[in-house]
Amino acid sequence: MMKSIRTNAAALAVAMCLSVSAQASSDKTLYEQLGGKESIRMVMDDFVVRLKADPRIGDQFAATNADRLASQLTDQVCEATGGPCKYVGADMKTAHEDMVITKAHFNALVEVLQTSMNAHSVPFDIQLEVLSMLAPMHRDVITVR
Ligand code: HEM
């Protein structure tokens, strides 16, 4: 009984801290919280290198120009998070429709992105916001169901 009261109190304290930090950062766009375009570009450069090296999906990026893809991803994330960029590439359905992309491929890519964000010390709550922004794109990106 005591243990569960203590556990609940601890959970409440954590939840309160999270809500305080969410309030403190709510006046900033996600773009600003990510540190702006240069910081996003650094994560994306790292991401594309890791994508190419990944044993699960690396082959799909073998012919990809790393600089170009990192630039496209940077513009896409910059714009979607409220930054001053304009993504001018193909829409997600068109960009991926000729590829074989399964749910497992999609999940692998998300894991690689998390690794890149961790490597650049992106705070966990910001990572979750980025991932929740990308998650609905699975409908357009996954081609094999
Ligand atoms: C939320 C998930 C994803 C996002 C936001 C995303 C975003 C993008 C963007 C912005 C481009 C560039 C399109 C253009 O320049 O016109 C692209 C191209 C590409 N994507 Fe994705 N993608 C996602 C998932 C995946 C997955 C799961 C795979 C395969 C495992 C994949 C494979 C590729 C490949 C091979 C290209 C072509 C790169 C090249 O130009 O050679 N993508 N993606």
Side-chain angles (χ1 to χ4, degrees):
M1 182 58 181
M2 271 313 283
K3 187 161 182 247
S4 95
I5 289 172
R6 249 188 258 128
T7 311
N8 286 341
L12 192 62
V14 170
M16 280 164 66
C17 289
L18 286 177
S19 103
V20 167
S21 84
Q23 274 168 21
S25 54
S26 63
D27 51 343
K28 281 191 175 183
T29 60
L30 184 53
Y31 171 76
E32 287 165 332
Q33 290 174 278
L34 282 165
K37 189 168 180 180
E38 272 182 40
S39 301
I40 296 172
R41 178 65 196 241
M42 281 198 275
V43 173
M44 292 309 157
D45 279 335
D46 179 294
F47 179 44
V48 174
V49 170
R50 288 183 203 267
L51 280 178
K52 280 178 166 282
D54 190 273
R56 299 163 295 182
I57 51 176
D59 285 356
Q60 308 213 40
F61 295 92
T64 295
N65 178 314
D67 188 62
R68 183 178 178 280
L69 183 59
S71 164
Q72 294 293 69
L73 290 168
T74 300
D75 283 345
Q76 187 186 38
V77 170
C78 168
E79 181 177 11
T81 54
C85 311
K86 183 93 191 94
Y87 169 67
V88 291
D91 65 81
M92 290 299 93
K93 196 164 178 56
T94 308
H96 301 93
E97 65 191 354
D98 294 333
M99 302 176 199
V100 175
I101 301 182
T102 62
K103 191 174 163 190
H105 291 141
F106 187 88
N107 288 339
L109 177 133
V110 168
E111 259 181 54
V112 176
L113 179 57
Q114 283 178 281
T115 303
S116 294
M117 291 194 287
N118 278 329
H120 286 81
S121 305
V122 175
F124 186 60
D125 54 343
I126 313 269
Q127 291 191 23
L128 292 182
E129 286 196 49
V130 172
L131 297 177
S132 65
M133 192 191 80
L134 298 178
M137 295 182 187
H138 72 89
R139 290 185 202 96
D140 289 334
V141 169
I142 294 172
T143 58
V144 180
R145 287 168 203 279

